[in-house]
Amino acid sequence: MAAAESGVSPRRNPSQLSWMNLSSNLILAYQSFGVVYGDLSTSPLYVFPCTFIGKLHKHHNEEAVFGAFSLIFWTLTLFPLLKYLLVLLSADDNGEGGTFALYSLLCRHAKLSLLPNQQAADEELSAYKFGPSTDTATSSPFRRFLEMHKRLRTALLLLVLFGAAMVIGDGVLTPAISVLSSMSGLQATDKKLTDGELLVLACVILVGLFALQHCGTHRVAFMFAPIVIIWLISILFIGLYNILHWNPTIIHAISPLYIIKFFRVTGQDGWISLGGILLSVTGTEAIFANLGHFTSVSIRLAFAVVVYPCLVVQYMGQAAFLSKNLGSIPNSFYDSVPDPVFWPVFVIATLAAIVGSQAVITATFSIVKQCHALGCFPRIKVVHTWKHIYGQIYIPEINWILMILTLAITIGFRDTTLIGNAYGIACMMVMFITTFFMALVIVVVWQKSCFLAALFLGTLWIIEGVYLSAALMKVPQGGWVPFVLTFIFMIAMYVWHYGTRRKYSFDLHNKVSLKWLLGLGPSLGIVRVPGIGLVYSELATGVPAIFSHFVTNLPAFHKVVVFVCVKSVPVPHVSPEERFLIGRVCPKPYRMYRCIVRYGYKDIQREDGDFENQLVQSIAEFIQMEASDLQSSASESQSYDGRMAVLSSQKSGSNSILTVSEVEEIDFADPTIQSSKSMTLQSLRSVYEDEYLQGQVRRRHVRFQLTPSSAGMESSVREELMDLIRAKEAGVAYIMGHSYVKSRKSSSWLKKMTIDIGYSFLRKNCRGPAVALNIPHISLIEVGMIYYV
């Protein structure tokens, strides 16, 4: 979310910028240096060496250096400045950025989503209506074409996952190349370290970087932002010094005519060298992907005023130095630093390289969280590191996986040129995919002409295609790494998505019919004991099969039954007031309800300990609303499992028919310990006496009561509310299916491998559903179920 304060709307409108949010944007712009621009700012460490080492070794001359700088200048201008800052930052999804934000916009403005349990009620969410209205616009033939073909929708999802996997690959490669490049400065000193010593030092720094991630983005940003600012100022003055001291005529190389001269002289070798030139824009995708942590205004402000001028001057100065010192190409940056400031610059460069990795690591956490929300990534622990900004998260499992892979790449290659080849391919592939989705947004969301979208797509794809083709030529020289990493993550994500979809399809086709429930009568043919039973399922409609399995095998069930479905919707955030959808499953005497809990793809399911109380209050409001509806008596017999209402205890306020009181219950310690003659037990009691308030445990307990105004309501409504209150007092139990997913005997060998090996392995090694949903273990009841899919 882009808001920087709790309770502020996540959507910021730059046109309504006031002095108050100007100061907020300045603070966010300051923070963005430490999170967004670290990677982009450290590119001067390795761009020129990666460009000239290789095919251009025959063209180490002033004309080639001028042409290379001209290419770098126009690459920086075209991609970060024009494409991302001017166009892509305008395509945010309620303040969120990245490829998933574009996909989310498309899913809401066209029926492209493959999320299985979507409902019409989801379209009434306030965040869902962000952007141009699709009600008044006529459906274009292109949009209808996309909606009609499921294979195209599947292909779009796979393309999104491919881009996500590439971003995760960036999270592996960025720390490796940034830290190794900064360490190369030690090779420029008189006392050169051995390659082994440099490698150990780089690995120590990498371990420290990943160990810092648990502190949270906001702490890392405030810690790292001054480093990046000092780094940018340093390279700005170094660049100015080199321009004035070595070759002021380098300023003429801004002209694109030097690009033409460059290719005329270098030919095919110059084209292949574009794989090194594109490293000057690595980290650009982080500008868009990390938008949810900041605002579009703050990101534009930081780049246009500080980052862009500093980088242009630094590349210009480095080119001016190289034009007169062609032998310094392998270590161009550190050789261009004046001797008196070498060591301070080396220290700042090392720290800036560490910061450079932060941008992609942060983006990786966001991408993985969004994949998980789409049902395309196994259940993982997501830690919300700051209560004021929802987008700032930390994922321990992903953090340590990235660290292991980064160390493996660093130790395995030990060469920034080889890692740069891999890094360039990953960067350009993500840009290529983002351009495609942006073109779809222009047509489907912005409702512009297909010609405009084709012009945007064609122009950028031609340019990006030239860079990508050059980068692909380096696949044998390390460029294969991002494809291997992407393949591994893609397989894991698609296997999880496929297994989840097949499991949901099994649930959908094995729902309990309402006729069967109605035939059992209000008692369900068993004893209804006091209490509330929360039956968790992925089904948004119908009764799950685990309920019939439970009822037919046990002689008793709870007096009040609530079927709970926790699901994700294609919006970044769902406000607490719109989170609950409440409905009735059977006639009133059955005391069976449905609760759908909705989260956005950026929301964190945090345990606040108040879910049960909010649920009871929402159901009570639903009962009251239903009773006050004049048409309810006429429609009651026909809408047992269709009528849903958005209800929240937070907005019911003084209109609530329930009063809430907190009482403090005191549980005395075990008397057997107090009266025991055992010296060990007595000594233990004396140690813990202070903690337990001298043998007393104080617990807070929430109690509900009907308000005096409820005396005039119908007896049936009052009785139903009293049943709900008594059930809450008796206790709440959580019922979940402990599922085993297996393929049918008639399935193909590929499906058997996918389900029986791949999906089963992922399920066994990810977080359990009860843990992911923050269900208290002491109240959990699991029902064994075998799914033959």
PDB file of all heavy atoms in Angstrom, residues 467-489:
ATOM      1  N   TYR A 467      18.007  -5.938 -27.805  1.00  0.00           N
ATOM      2  CA  TYR A 467      18.794  -6.178 -26.583  1.00  0.00           C
ATOM      3  C   TYR A 467      18.691  -7.648 -26.155  1.00  0.00           C
ATOM      4  O   TYR A 467      19.694  -8.274 -25.793  1.00  0.00           O
ATOM      5  CB  TYR A 467      18.293  -5.295 -25.449  1.00  0.00           C
ATOM      6  CG  TYR A 467      18.734  -3.857 -25.531  1.00  0.00           C
ATOM      7  CD1 TYR A 467      17.958  -2.908 -26.180  1.00  0.00           C
ATOM      8  CD2 TYR A 467      19.919  -3.446 -24.945  1.00  0.00           C
ATOM      9  CE1 TYR A 467      18.352  -1.582 -26.239  1.00  0.00           C
ATOM     10  CE2 TYR A 467      20.335  -2.120 -25.004  1.00  0.00           C
ATOM     11  CZ  TYR A 467      19.545  -1.189 -25.661  1.00  0.00           C
ATOM     12  OH  TYR A 467      19.946   0.117 -25.729  1.00  0.00           O
ATOM     13  N   LEU A 468      17.465  -8.179 -26.191  1.00  0.00           N
ATOM     14  CA  LEU A 468      17.264  -9.556 -25.731  1.00  0.00           C
ATOM     15  C   LEU A 468      17.989 -10.554 -26.614  1.00  0.00           C
ATOM     16  O   LEU A 468      18.601 -11.513 -26.125  1.00  0.00           O
ATOM     17  CB  LEU A 468      15.768  -9.874 -25.685  1.00  0.00           C
ATOM     18  CG  LEU A 468      15.379 -11.250 -25.153  1.00  0.00           C
ATOM     19  CD1 LEU A 468      15.858 -11.437 -23.719  1.00  0.00           C
ATOM     20  CD2 LEU A 468      13.864 -11.446 -25.234  1.00  0.00           C
ATOM     21  N   SER A 469      17.947 -10.334 -27.927  1.00  0.00           N
ATOM     22  CA  SER A 469      18.635 -11.256 -28.850  1.00  0.00           C
ATOM     23  C   SER A 469      20.134 -11.244 -28.613  1.00  0.00           C
ATOM     24  O   SER A 469      20.797 -12.286 -28.689  1.00  0.00           O
ATOM     25  CB  SER A 469      18.315 -10.881 -30.297  1.00  0.00           C
ATOM     26  OG  SER A 469      18.768  -9.561 -30.586  1.00  0.00           O
ATOM     27  N   ALA A 470      20.676 -10.047 -28.302  1.00  0.00           N
ATOM     28  CA  ALA A 470      22.111  -9.967 -28.005  1.00  0.00           C
ATOM     29  C   ALA A 470      22.438 -10.693 -26.710  1.00  0.00           C
ATOM     30  O   ALA A 470      23.453 -11.395 -26.616  1.00  0.00           O
ATOM     31  CB  ALA A 470      22.527  -8.502 -27.908  1.00  0.00           C
ATOM     32  N   ALA A 471      21.540 -10.548 -25.711  1.00  0.00           N
ATOM     33  CA  ALA A 471      21.774 -11.225 -24.433  1.00  0.00           C
ATOM     34  C   ALA A 471      21.682 -12.731 -24.578  1.00  0.00           C
ATOM     35  O   ALA A 471      22.439 -13.477 -23.934  1.00  0.00           O
ATOM     36  CB  ALA A 471      20.767 -10.724 -23.397  1.00  0.00           C
ATOM     37  N   LEU A 472      20.780 -13.199 -25.431  1.00  0.00           N
ATOM     38  CA  LEU A 472      20.604 -14.643 -25.609  1.00  0.00           C
ATOM     39  C   LEU A 472      21.815 -15.296 -26.265  1.00  0.00           C
ATOM     40  O   LEU A 472      22.009 -16.511 -26.136  1.00  0.00           O
ATOM     41  CB  LEU A 472      19.350 -14.926 -26.441  1.00  0.00           C
ATOM     42  CG  LEU A 472      18.007 -14.634 -25.741  1.00  0.00           C
ATOM     43  CD1 LEU A 472      16.840 -14.817 -26.713  1.00  0.00           C
ATOM     44  CD2 LEU A 472      17.818 -15.540 -24.533  1.00  0.00           C
ATOM     45  N   MET A 473      22.617 -14.505 -26.961  1.00  0.00           N
ATOM     46  CA  MET A 473      23.831 -15.048 -27.564  1.00  0.00           C
ATOM     47  C   MET A 473      24.836 -15.488 -26.499  1.00  0.00           C
ATOM     48  O   MET A 473      25.770 -16.232 -26.787  1.00  0.00           O
ATOM     49  CB  MET A 473      24.473 -14.004 -28.478  1.00  0.00           C
ATOM     50  CG  MET A 473      23.625 -13.629 -29.678  1.00  0.00           C
ATOM     51  SD  MET A 473      23.331 -15.026 -30.793  1.00  0.00           S
ATOM     52  CE  MET A 473      24.978 -15.321 -31.395  1.00  0.00           C
ATOM     53  N   LYS A 474      24.622 -15.029 -25.259  1.00  0.00           N
ATOM     54  CA  LYS A 474      25.557 -15.353 -24.184  1.00  0.00           C
ATOM     55  C   LYS A 474      25.034 -16.451 -23.272  1.00  0.00           C
ATOM     56  O   LYS A 474      25.513 -16.607 -22.144  1.00  0.00           O
ATOM     57  CB  LYS A 474      25.849 -14.086 -23.367  1.00  0.00           C
ATOM     58  CG  LYS A 474      26.503 -12.987 -24.200  1.00  0.00           C
ATOM     59  CD  LYS A 474      26.836 -11.760 -23.372  1.00  0.00           C
ATOM     60  CE  LYS A 474      27.507 -10.694 -24.225  1.00  0.00           C
ATOM     61  NZ  LYS A 474      27.878  -9.490 -23.437  1.00  0.00           N
ATOM     62  N   VAL A 475      24.049 -17.202 -23.736  1.00  0.00           N
ATOM     63  CA  VAL A 475      23.525 -18.314 -22.939  1.00  0.00           C
ATOM     64  C   VAL A 475      24.611 -19.322 -22.574  1.00  0.00           C
ATOM     65  O   VAL A 475      24.692 -19.760 -21.416  1.00  0.00           O
ATOM     66  CB  VAL A 475      22.350 -19.000 -23.671  1.00  0.00           C
ATOM     67  CG1 VAL A 475      21.984 -20.319 -22.995  1.00  0.00           C
ATOM     68  CG2 VAL A 475      21.135 -18.077 -23.692  1.00  0.00           C
ATOM     69  N   PRO A 476      25.496 -19.716 -23.505  1.00  0.00           N
ATOM     70  CA  PRO A 476      26.557 -20.670 -23.108  1.00  0.00           C
ATOM     71  C   PRO A 476      27.534 -20.098 -22.086  1.00  0.00           C
ATOM     72  O   PRO A 476      28.148 -20.847 -21.334  1.00  0.00           O
ATOM     73  CB  PRO A 476      27.263 -20.983 -24.435  1.00  0.00           C
ATOM     74  CG  PRO A 476      26.278 -20.613 -25.503  1.00  0.00           C
ATOM     75  CD  PRO A 476      25.540 -19.448 -24.953  1.00  0.00           C
ATOM     76  N   GLN A 477      27.694 -18.753 -22.056  1.00  0.00           N
ATOM     77  CA  GLN A 477      28.638 -18.131 -21.128  1.00  0.00           C
ATOM     78  C   GLN A 477      27.917 -17.613 -19.879  1.00  0.00           C
ATOM     79  O   GLN A 477      28.035 -16.448 -19.504  1.00  0.00           O
ATOM     80  CB  GLN A 477      29.376 -16.975 -21.804  1.00  0.00           C
ATOM     81  CG  GLN A 477      30.327 -17.383 -22.894  1.00  0.00           C
ATOM     82  CD  GLN A 477      29.608 -17.569 -24.230  1.00  0.00           C
ATOM     83  OE1 GLN A 477      28.708 -16.811 -24.562  1.00  0.00           O
ATOM     84  NE2 GLN A 477      30.015 -18.569 -24.994  1.00  0.00           N
ATOM     85  N   GLY A 478      27.170 -18.471 -19.228  1.00  0.00           N
ATOM     86  CA  GLY A 478      26.502 -18.105 -17.985  1.00  0.00           C
ATOM     87  C   GLY A 478      25.054 -17.697 -18.138  1.00  0.00           C
ATOM     88  O   GLY A 478      24.314 -17.607 -17.145  1.00  0.00           O
ATOM     89  N   GLY A 479      24.626 -17.439 -19.364  1.00  0.00           N
ATOM     90  CA  GLY A 479      23.246 -17.001 -19.580  1.00  0.00           C
ATOM     91  C   GLY A 479      22.203 -18.067 -19.335  1.00  0.00           C
ATOM     92  O   GLY A 479      21.001 -17.768 -19.288  1.00  0.00           O
ATOM     93  N   TRP A 480      22.633 -19.286 -19.156  1.00  0.00           N
ATOM     94  CA  TRP A 480      21.691 -20.384 -18.907  1.00  0.00           C
ATOM     95  C   TRP A 480      21.155 -20.368 -17.473  1.00  0.00           C
ATOM     96  O   TRP A 480      20.123 -20.975 -17.182  1.00  0.00           O
ATOM     97  CB  TRP A 480      22.382 -21.727 -19.158  1.00  0.00           C
ATOM     98  CG  TRP A 480      23.664 -21.912 -18.404  1.00  0.00           C
ATOM     99  CD1 TRP A 480      24.918 -21.581 -18.824  1.00  0.00           C
ATOM    100  CD2 TRP A 480      23.818 -22.423 -17.072  1.00  0.00           C
ATOM    101  NE1 TRP A 480      25.856 -21.864 -17.855  1.00  0.00           N
ATOM    102  CE2 TRP A 480      25.207 -22.395 -16.759  1.00  0.00           C
ATOM    103  CE3 TRP A 480      22.934 -22.917 -16.120  1.00  0.00           C
ATOM    104  CZ2 TRP A 480      25.702 -22.829 -15.540  1.00  0.00           C
ATOM    105  CZ3 TRP A 480      23.434 -23.351 -14.900  1.00  0.00           C
ATOM    106  CH2 TRP A 480      24.797 -23.311 -14.621  1.00  0.00           C
ATOM    107  N   VAL A 481      21.813 -19.655 -16.564  1.00  0.00           N
ATOM    108  CA  VAL A 481      21.427 -19.681 -15.144  1.00  0.00           C
ATOM    109  C   VAL A 481      19.998 -19.212 -14.906  1.00  0.00           C
ATOM    110  O   VAL A 481      19.224 -19.894 -14.228  1.00  0.00           O
ATOM    111  CB  VAL A 481      22.429 -18.860 -14.301  1.00  0.00           C
ATOM    112  CG1 VAL A 481      21.926 -18.724 -12.867  1.00  0.00           C
ATOM    113  CG2 VAL A 481      23.790 -19.526 -14.317  1.00  0.00           C
ATOM    114  N   PRO A 482      19.580 -18.028 -15.446  1.00  0.00           N
ATOM    115  CA  PRO A 482      18.200 -17.607 -15.162  1.00  0.00           C
ATOM    116  C   PRO A 482      17.152 -18.571 -15.699  1.00  0.00           C
ATOM    117  O   PRO A 482      16.071 -18.704 -15.107  1.00  0.00           O
ATOM    118  CB  PRO A 482      18.102 -16.233 -15.835  1.00  0.00           C
ATOM    119  CG  PRO A 482      19.200 -16.201 -16.828  1.00  0.00           C
ATOM    120  CD  PRO A 482      20.288 -17.028 -16.256  1.00  0.00           C
ATOM    121  N   PHE A 483      17.461 -19.249 -16.811  1.00  0.00           N
ATOM    122  CA  PHE A 483      16.496 -20.200 -17.358  1.00  0.00           C
ATOM    123  C   PHE A 483      16.363 -21.427 -16.452  1.00  0.00           C
ATOM    124  O   PHE A 483      15.262 -21.957 -16.275  1.00  0.00           O
ATOM    125  CB  PHE A 483      16.908 -20.616 -18.770  1.00  0.00           C
ATOM    126  CG  PHE A 483      16.777 -19.523 -19.785  1.00  0.00           C
ATOM    127  CD1 PHE A 483      17.889 -18.869 -20.269  1.00  0.00           C
ATOM    128  CD2 PHE A 483      15.523 -19.135 -20.245  1.00  0.00           C
ATOM    129  CE1 PHE A 483      17.778 -17.850 -21.202  1.00  0.00           C
ATOM    130  CE2 PHE A 483      15.394 -18.110 -21.181  1.00  0.00           C
ATOM    131  CZ  PHE A 483      16.525 -17.462 -21.654  1.00  0.00           C
ATOM    132  N   VAL A 484      17.479 -21.870 -15.877  1.00  0.00           N
ATOM    133  CA  VAL A 484      17.418 -23.002 -14.949  1.00  0.00           C
ATOM    134  C   VAL A 484      16.638 -22.627 -13.702  1.00  0.00           C
ATOM    135  O   VAL A 484      15.749 -23.364 -13.241  1.00  0.00           O
ATOM    136  CB  VAL A 484      18.840 -23.476 -14.585  1.00  0.00           C
ATOM    137  CG1 VAL A 484      18.788 -24.523 -13.473  1.00  0.00           C
ATOM    138  CG2 VAL A 484      19.548 -24.047 -15.806  1.00  0.00           C
ATOM    139  N   LEU A 485      16.948 -21.447 -13.135  1.00  0.00           N
ATOM    140  CA  LEU A 485      16.229 -20.989 -11.941  1.00  0.00           C
ATOM    141  C   LEU A 485      14.745 -20.799 -12.235  1.00  0.00           C
ATOM    142  O   LEU A 485      13.880 -21.197 -11.442  1.00  0.00           O
ATOM    143  CB  LEU A 485      16.837 -19.677 -11.439  1.00  0.00           C
ATOM    144  CG  LEU A 485      18.262 -19.739 -10.886  1.00  0.00           C
ATOM    145  CD1 LEU A 485      18.774 -18.344 -10.559  1.00  0.00           C
ATOM    146  CD2 LEU A 485      18.321 -20.629  -9.650  1.00  0.00           C
ATOM    147  N   THR A 486      14.450 -20.193 -13.390  1.00  0.00           N
ATOM    148  CA  THR A 486      13.045 -19.970 -13.768  1.00  0.00           C
ATOM    149  C   THR A 486      12.318 -21.283 -13.959  1.00  0.00           C
ATOM    150  O   THR A 486      11.160 -21.439 -13.542  1.00  0.00           O
ATOM    151  CB  THR A 486      12.980 -19.131 -15.059  1.00  0.00           C
ATOM    152  OG1 THR A 486      13.609 -17.870 -14.830  1.00  0.00           O
ATOM    153  CG2 THR A 486      11.541 -18.898 -15.488  1.00  0.00           C
ATOM    154  N   PHE A 487      12.985 -22.255 -14.578  1.00  0.00           N
ATOM    155  CA  PHE A 487      12.361 -23.563 -14.801  1.00  0.00           C
ATOM    156  C   PHE A 487      12.009 -24.219 -13.467  1.00  0.00           C
ATOM    157  O   PHE A 487      10.898 -24.752 -13.301  1.00  0.00           O
ATOM    158  CB  PHE A 487      13.327 -24.452 -15.597  1.00  0.00           C
ATOM    159  CG  PHE A 487      12.808 -25.845 -15.815  1.00  0.00           C
ATOM    160  CD1 PHE A 487      11.841 -26.109 -16.772  1.00  0.00           C
ATOM    161  CD2 PHE A 487      13.298 -26.911 -15.057  1.00  0.00           C
ATOM    162  CE1 PHE A 487      11.363 -27.392 -16.971  1.00  0.00           C
ATOM    163  CE2 PHE A 487      12.832 -28.193 -15.251  1.00  0.00           C
ATOM    164  CZ  PHE A 487      11.859 -28.438 -16.219  1.00  0.00           C
ATOM    165  N   ILE A 488      12.917 -24.155 -12.502  1.00  0.00           N
ATOM    166  CA  ILE A 488      12.672 -24.780 -11.201  1.00  0.00           C
ATOM    167  C   ILE A 488      11.485 -24.114 -10.501  1.00  0.00           C
ATOM    168  O   ILE A 488      10.563 -24.789 -10.033  1.00  0.00           O
ATOM    169  CB  ILE A 488      13.937 -24.704 -10.323  1.00  0.00           C
ATOM    170  CG1 ILE A 488      15.057 -25.561 -10.931  1.00  0.00           C
ATOM    171  CG2 ILE A 488      13.632 -25.168  -8.897  1.00  0.00           C
ATOM    172  CD1 ILE A 488      16.399 -25.396 -10.243  1.00  0.00           C
ATOM    173  N   PHE A 489      11.500 -22.781 -10.440  1.00  0.00           N
ATOM    174  CA  PHE A 489      10.412 -22.073  -9.758  1.00  0.00           C
ATOM    175  C   PHE A 489       9.093 -22.203 -10.518  1.00  0.00           C
ATOM    176  O   PHE A 489       8.022 -22.314  -9.913  1.00  0.00           O
ATOM    177  CB  PHE A 489      10.775 -20.599  -9.571  1.00  0.00           C
ATOM    178  CG  PHE A 489      11.768 -20.360  -8.472  1.00  0.00           C
ATOM    179  CD1 PHE A 489      13.071 -19.958  -8.755  1.00  0.00           C
ATOM    180  CD2 PHE A 489      11.416 -20.535  -7.140  1.00  0.00           C
ATOM    181  CE1 PHE A 489      13.991 -19.738  -7.751  1.00  0.00           C
ATOM    182  CE2 PHE A 489      12.328 -20.322  -6.118  1.00  0.00           C
ATOM    183  CZ  PHE A 489      13.618 -19.926  -6.420  1.00  0.00           C
TER     184      PHE A 489
END
